């Protein structure tokens, strides 16, 4: 009866009104189909992500950041990412050493929460921890890892992995051993080229071409011992490289901290300096010869050179080898970019270039990292994604490596119930900084005395100041005004003009320590430094016993 009444009403309805109802119904159906199609397209267009991390790469070695090497040793392919994307000036490392930084990036948490504090006697990364690649994999992404891992435990969240598995997972530059999906394989060639070969082969032949992917490409280079590809071994033999402005730092006012390390130009080994090894050396004898120079009182330099001549000779050898290794990294990044261009993937692929921390290239007379000082604290960080980021932009917000994981997930529109200490900076990539974005960051380095004898310390870094406390067997505070003293040569902790600044910074520091669950006593911090959490690997190879030579005790590989 009701149906009959409805039909009768329709018959009495003016023809124009009836047509309008039919048209409106059709539009509604088309709109629903359109929305369904948009949802489907959104899934198809979920961005690919290629995360590239070079080990010990520093901003001073990238021409997009400027500096004294930019015209001598340009990095055109890395610069291309910057020119077509966003270059970050103030991305900072929460614990400036390889393994702990990688753990912080994977988990989005500080060392105090993810449990991976140090390389030396730091054990293996806890493989039961949540990591962002697992979340990508769970949400339909194809995931892969190529190159350096250096966390001891088996990588989780990857469909495919091939990582360096010799020299305590540091890897070798030439003819390296890779763990290829659980099987060790010795490959022939130069590691930077090989890792890229694996990556491009996966992109071309092994992945599903229509599904989104996350690829992590982590180069060994330019980590010590800085062995260039053959074609670049003599690239700068006929020139003298410039010296950093702080090369002759005398560490006045910082004698117990910066002035008491084993990472100056006096601590390069025979292997670092590429001296020819005597024939027929084997085992411990071979290692002892190669690593001579890494201990106090073992100065490596040609005969008849004065101390100052030898110091400059060591720097020149080091910087040329380091930058030559970077050149190969840049070449191989170019290979990846070219692949994306040729295969129509550029517009829908996020490219990230970074490092595990910064590095000293003779700055303050140092090599290596570890300190809260600018050269090791600042990480190169450059992102290109045409759909989100305006080309040629520069950002100066304070961002830390625990912010990477939530940001990558946010870019991929992946939601997770897992809580991280880091925060997404996707809006910053789009050009808008949140009003409540962090204005200071917390730093903590725990390892001592090996390698390089850098005192454990924690601190706060804001836009204007660096305040730090060195605490293991000394009790030293340092303060630097970064606007007046960007090279951090003058410790002003006892300057009465900064009394109120110090009070405020110490309060901010305390609040950050509470926020990031690292508000422990100094004795607890020292206990972490002293604790032996185990070795990063379960078996020795030809370089995992280096510490037997240098420290007369059984420990892990060099960091």
């Amino acid at each position: 009866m009701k149906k009959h009444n409805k039909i009768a009403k329709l018959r009495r309805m003016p023809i124009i009104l009836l047509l309008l109802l039919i048209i409106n119904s059709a539009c509604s159906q088309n709109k629903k189909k359109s929305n369904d199609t948009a949802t489907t397209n959104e899934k198809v267009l979920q961005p690919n992500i290629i995360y590239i991390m070079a080990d010990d790469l520093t901003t001073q070695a990238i021409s997009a950041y400027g500096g004294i090497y930019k015209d001598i040793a340009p990095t055109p392919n890395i610069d291309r990412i910057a020119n077509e994307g966003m270059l970050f000036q103030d991305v900072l490392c929460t614990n400036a050493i390889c393994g702990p930084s990688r753990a912080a990036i994977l988990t989005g948490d500080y060392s105090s929460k993810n449990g991976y504090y140090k390389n030396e006697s730091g054990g293996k990364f806890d493989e039961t921890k949540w990591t962002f690649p697992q979340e990508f994999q769970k949400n339909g992404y194809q995931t892969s890892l190529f190159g350096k891992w250096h966390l001891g435990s088996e990588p989780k969240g990857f469909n495919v992995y091939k990582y360096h598995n010799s020299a305590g997972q540091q890897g070798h530059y030439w003819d390296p051993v890779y763990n290829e999906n659980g099987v060790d394989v010795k490959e022939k060639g130069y590691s930077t080229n090989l890792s890229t070969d694996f990556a491009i082969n996966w992109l071309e032949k092994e992945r599903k071409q229509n599904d989104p992917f996350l690829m992590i490409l982590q180069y060994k280079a330019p980590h010590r011992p800085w062995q260039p590809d053959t074609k670049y071994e003599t690239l700068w033999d006929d020139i003298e490289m410039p010296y950093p402005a702080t090369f002759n730092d005398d560490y006045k006012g910082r004698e117990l901290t910066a002035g008491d390390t084993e990472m100056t130009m006096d601590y390069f080994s025979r292997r670092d300096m590429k001296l020819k090894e005597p024939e027929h050396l084997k085992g411990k004898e071979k290692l002892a010869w190669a690593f001579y120079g890494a201990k106090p009182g073992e100065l490596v330099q040609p005969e008849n050179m004065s101390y100052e001549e030898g110091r400059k000779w060591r720097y020149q050898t080091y910087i040329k080898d380091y930058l030559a290794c970077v050149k190969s990294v840049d070449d191989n990044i170019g290979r990846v970019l070219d692949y994306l261009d040729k295969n129509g993937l550029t517009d829908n692929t996020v490219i990230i270039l970074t490092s595990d921390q910064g590095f000293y290239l003779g700055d303050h007379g140092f090599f290596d990292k570890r300190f809260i000082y600018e050269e090791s604290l600042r990480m190169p960080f450059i992102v290109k994604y045409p759909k989100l980021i305006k080309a040629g932009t520069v950002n100066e917000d304070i961002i830390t490596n625990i912010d990477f994981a939530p940001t990558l997930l946010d870019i991929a529109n992946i939601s997770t119930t897992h809580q991280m200490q880091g925060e997404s900076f996707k809006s910053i990539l789009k050009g808008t900084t949140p009003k409540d974005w962090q204005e200071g960051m917390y730093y903590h380095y725990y390892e001592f005395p090996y390698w390089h004898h850098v005192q454990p310390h924690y601190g706060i870094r804001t836009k204007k100041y660096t305040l730090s406390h060195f605490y293991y067997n000394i009790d030293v505070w340092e303060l630097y005004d970064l606007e007046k003293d960007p090279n951090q040569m003058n410790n002003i902790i006892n300057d009465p003009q900064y009394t109120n600044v110090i009070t405020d910074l110490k309060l901010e520091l305390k609040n950050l320590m509470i926020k990031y669950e690292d508000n422990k006593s100094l004795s607890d911090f020292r206990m972490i430094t002293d604790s032996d959490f185990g070795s990063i690997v379960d078996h020795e190879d030809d370089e995992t016993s280096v510490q037997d030579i240098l420290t007369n005790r059984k420990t892990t590989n060099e960091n």
Side-chain angles (χ1 to χ4, degrees):
M1 188 70 180
K2 287 182 179 179
K3 185 176 179 182
H4 176 77
N5 291 338
K6 188 174 182 181
I7 292 171
K9 285 181 180 178
L10 285 173
R11 284 175 178 168
R12 293 194 298 270
M13 190 176 291
I15 189 68
I16 294 176
L17 187 56
L18 184 60
L19 286 171
L20 286 173
L21 280 172
I22 293 169
I23 291 169
N24 185 59
S25 176
C27 287
S28 296
Q29 290 298 318
N30 288 336
K31 186 176 181 182
K32 183 178 185 301
K33 289 179 182 177
S34 177
N35 288 339
D36 290 344
T37 303
T39 302
T40 302
N41 287 339
E42 187 177 333
K43 288 180 182 177
V44 171
L45 295 175
Q46 215 167 3
N48 307 308
I49 296 175
I50 298 180
Y51 175 92
I52 304 173
M53 186 161 74
D55 195 321
D56 291 347
L57 179 64
T58 187
T59 58
Q60 304 96 284
I62 297 173
S63 45
Y65 281 95
I68 61 176
Y69 312 109
K70 67 181 179 66
D71 296 323
I72 301 170
T75 51
N77 294 298
I78 295 175
D79 292 1
R80 179 183 159 191
I81 301 174
N83 294 336
E84 297 175 7
M86 181 177 284
L87 179 145
F88 288 80
Q89 291 283 8
D90 227 2
V91 171
L92 309 175
C93 186
T94 53
N95 183 356
I97 189 170
C98 175
S101 176
R102 291 164 191 266
I105 290 166
L106 286 168
T107 62
D109 292 329
Y110 271 83
S111 300
S112 52
K113 188 172 182 182
N114 68 49
Y116 204 68
Y117 293 96
K118 53 189 183 175
N119 281 359
E120 180 66 31
S121 300
K124 296 179 176 67
F125 173 68
D126 183 355
E127 63 182 12
T128 66
K129 292 287 185 183
W130 176 96
T131 61
F132 76 82
Q134 296 177 61
E135 200 72 50
F136 272 87
Q137 189 182 51
K138 189 171 73 175
N139 282 271
Y141 268 74
Q142 301 169 88
T143 57
S144 60
L145 164 69
F146 304 106
K148 187 168 180 179
W149 175 242
H150 198 232
L151 288 169
S153 53
E154 181 184 348
K156 299 294 185 183
F158 298 101
N159 301 110
V160 171
Y161 59 77
K162 296 184 180 183
Y163 65 83
H164 284 287
N165 205 28
S166 56
Q169 292 194 351
Q170 285 291 356
H172 290 98
Y173 276 97
W174 289 101
D175 301 339
V177 173
Y178 286 85
N179 181 315
E180 302 186 6
N181 304 314
V183 179
D184 280 356
V185 179
K186 186 168 185 177
E187 300 283 356
K188 189 76 173 173
Y190 187 64
S191 65
T192 308
N193 302 331
L194 287 169
S195 293
T196 310
D197 291 344
F198 298 153
I200 291 179
N201 182 68
W202 183 77
L203 289 171
E204 283 184 336
K205 301 175 182 178
E206 297 180 17
R207 68 182 175 92
K208 295 177 182 177
Q209 296 296 311
N210 295 322
D211 289 352
F213 63 83
L214 165 71
M215 186 175 81
I216 294 181
L217 176 56
Q218 301 188 147
Y219 295 112
K220 170 185 172 60
H223 190 280
R224 195 178 189 180
W226 314 296
Q227 294 174 350
D229 196 349
T230 306
K231 62 183 177 180
Y232 293 138
E233 283 180 344
T234 60
L235 184 59
W236 294 294
D237 276 6
D238 58 346
I239 68 169
E240 183 178 20
M241 286 288 186
Y243 297 87
T246 59
F247 184 69
N248 294 315
D249 191 345
D250 62 3
Y251 315 118
K252 185 178 179 181
R254 295 158 290 138
E255 291 85 357
L256 297 177
T257 55
D260 185 23
T261 74
E262 295 174 5
M263 50 190 270
T264 67
M265 298 295 104
D266 293 352
Y267 287 89
F268 289 121
S269 69
R270 285 171 175 154
R271 186 179 72 161
D272 297 330
M273 294 295 99
K274 311 305 185 288
L275 299 186
K276 186 176 180 180
E277 182 182 294
E279 295 181 5
H280 310 304
L281 293 179
K282 293 182 180 180
K284 293 287 182 68
E285 190 179 27
K286 182 183 178 78
L287 286 177
W289 185 91
F291 283 87
Y292 180 89
K295 292 167 66 175
E298 299 178 343
L299 206 59
V300 175
Q301 64 184 51
E303 293 182 9
N304 303 319
M305 268 191 183
S306 68
Y307 169 75
E308 190 55 36
E309 288 171 337
R311 184 168 176 263
K312 289 184 175 180
W313 172 79
R314 288 186 292 277
Y315 165 76
Q316 291 293 328
T317 302
Y318 159 57
I319 195 61
K320 291 174 182 178
D321 286 344
Y322 177 98
L323 292 174
C325 290
V326 173
K327 186 161 182 59
S328 287
V329 170
D330 187 74
D331 289 347
N332 279 277
I333 288 172
R335 292 175 62 196
V336 175
L337 296 176
D338 289 346
Y339 174 85
L340 296 177
D341 286 346
K342 290 174 184 176
N343 290 275
L345 294 170
T346 297
D347 287 346
N348 197 46
T349 301
V350 182
I351 290 278
I352 295 167
L353 182 280
T354 188
S355 177
D356 39 6
Q357 73 282 306
F359 209 70
Y360 295 97
L361 303 184
D363 317 271
H364 299 285
F366 292 154
F367 68 98
D368 209 68
K369 53 263 186 178
R370 303 167 195 272
F371 277 111
I372 195 174
Y373 307 146
E374 289 295 289
E375 292 84 359
S376 51
L377 180 70
R378 289 177 67 223
M379 307 168 69
F381 196 83
I382 308 172
V383 187
K384 175 176 177 286
Y385 181 32
K387 292 185 177 180
L388 189 69
I389 300 169
K390 184 179 178 182
T393 51
V394 176
N395 180 268
E396 296 184 353
D397 293 310
I398 290 177
I399 290 165
T400 69
N401 55 348
I402 64 168
D403 299 322
F404 296 1
T407 303
L408 291 172
L409 292 167
D410 199 3
I411 292 172
N413 299 309
I414 294 174
S415 59
T416 177
T417 57
H418 178 78
Q419 296 297 310
M420 291 165 275
Q421 291 178 327
E423 296 184 16
S424 170
F425 54 91
K426 180 179 178 180
S427 65
I428 291 175
L429 292 170
K430 293 191 288 187
T432 303
T433 302
K435 291 181 180 179
D436 60 349
W437 191 253
Q438 58 198 358
E439 296 182 358
M441 63 85 66
Y442 173 60
Y443 180 85
H444 201 149
Y445 170 78
Y446 303 85
E447 188 172 304
F448 187 78
Y450 310 106
W451 285 64
H452 301 296
H453 201 266
V454 172
Q455 281 278 341
H457 56 289
Y458 58 86
I460 181 173
R461 158 63 153 74
T462 67
K463 281 291 182 185
K464 189 171 182 180
Y465 299 106
T466 298
L467 176 76
S468 53
H469 183 209
F470 296 79
Y471 62 79
Y472 183 76
N473 56 27
I474 58 176
D475 181 14
V476 174
W477 287 84
E478 292 184 351
L479 174 67
Y480 299 95
D481 186 327
L482 300 177
E483 291 180 356
K484 296 180 180 178
D485 179 27
N487 290 330
Q488 296 173 294
M489 299 288 281
N490 304 304
N491 177 18
I492 52 174
I493 195 67
N494 294 318
D495 188 331
Q497 295 181 65
Y498 289 89
T499 300
N500 291 337
V501 170
I502 293 168
T503 299
D504 291 343
L505 286 172
K506 285 187 176 181
L507 179 59
E508 287 183 54
L509 173 58
K510 186 70 172 177
N511 289 335
L512 289 175
M513 295 174 82
I514 293 170
K515 176 181 178 180
Y516 294 117
E517 302 174 36
D518 201 33
N519 186 33
K520 301 179 179 69
S521 67
L522 292 182
S523 60
D524 286 337
F525 288 151
R526 294 186 188 104
M527 191 179 300
I528 293 170
T529 299
D530 292 337
S531 293
D532 185 349
F533 296 104
S535 173
I536 195 172
V537 292
D538 297 322
H539 64 280
E540 284 194 1
D541 57 26
D542 58 352
E543 286 194 22
T544 52
S545 60
V546 171
Q547 281 76 357
D548 290 346
I549 303 297
L550 300 183
T551 70
N552 298 317
R553 68 185 183 92
K554 188 83 167 173
T555 58
T556 58
N557 65 297
E558 182 191 353
N559 307 329

